[in-house]
Amino acid sequence: MQTMQWTLSVLIVIFLAFSLYFSVRYRREQEPKRRGLYSARMNIFMGLMLVVIAVSQLFFFEDSATRRIFGTVCLLLGLFNLFAGIRNHNLFSRK
């Protein structure tokens, strides 16, 4: 159980780092196609990070209504960001 929590924490930090990296690249890029690709990748990693946060909140801590609501909101936002990022990445990579 402890190993799984540690692994999820490491994944959260890795996904956060990639999200920040692509956020900086997105803001500095001038070309629209590359800017869109960086934005899509940022959304993908942000979505993955939110899904991992939701999993950790829903399954690895004591159960409470607040944790359940927070985990559900993170899961929904994460899935939305993930699917929007994948859709936009496919759209911009075809241009």
Side-chain angles (χ1 to χ4, degrees), residues 5 8-9 12 51-61 67:
Q5 287 178 344
L8 290 175
S9 298
I12 290 170
V51 167
V52 172
I53 289 171
V55 167
S56 69
Q57 291 297 311
L58 291 173
F59 297 114
F60 294 109
F61 292 104
R67 281 197 195 277

Side-chain angles (χ1 to χ4, degrees), residues 2-14:
Q2 196 75 339
T3 306
M4 185 62 86
Q5 287 178 344
W6 187 82
T7 304
L8 290 175
S9 298
V10 170
L11 281 175
I12 290 170
V13 170
I14 290 170

Side-chain angles (χ1 to χ4, degrees), residues 6-26:
W6 187 82
T7 304
L8 290 175
S9 298
V10 170
L11 281 175
I12 290 170
V13 170
I14 290 170
F15 292 149
L16 175 64
F18 275 113
S19 182
L20 290 173
Y21 171 75
F22 285 118
S23 175
V24 170
R25 296 282 310 257
Y26 160 73

Side-chain angles (χ1 to χ4, degrees), residues 2-95:
Q2 196 75 339
T3 306
M4 185 62 86
Q5 287 178 344
W6 187 82
T7 304
L8 290 175
S9 298
V10 170
L11 281 175
I12 290 170
V13 170
I14 290 170
F15 292 149
L16 175 64
F18 275 113
S19 182
L20 290 173
Y21 171 75
F22 285 118
S23 175
V24 170
R25 296 282 310 257
Y26 160 73
R27 294 176 199 294
R28 291 185 179 180
E29 185 60 47
Q30 299 297 320
E31 184 184 339
K33 178 184 175 183
R34 291 173 117 189
R35 192 173 163 96
L37 283 172
Y38 292 145
S39 173
R41 290 175 188 165
M42 177 185 65
N43 280 341
I44 290 170
F45 283 109
M46 190 180 308
L48 289 172
M49 179 185 66
L50 286 169
V51 167
V52 172
I53 289 171
V55 167
S56 69
Q57 291 297 311
L58 291 173
F59 297 114
F60 294 109
F61 292 104
E62 66 263 0
D63 196 24
S64 71
T66 307
R67 281 197 195 277
R68 195 172 294 244
I69 292 169
F70 179 74
T72 304
V73 169
C74 282
L75 182 66
L76 292 174
L77 285 173
L79 290 175
F80 176 77
N81 271 339
L82 182 63
F83 290 127
I86 291 170
R87 185 193 68 218
N88 289 338
H89 194 276
N90 288 335
L91 181 95
F92 282 106
S93 62
R94 282 190 225 137
K95 284 187 176 183

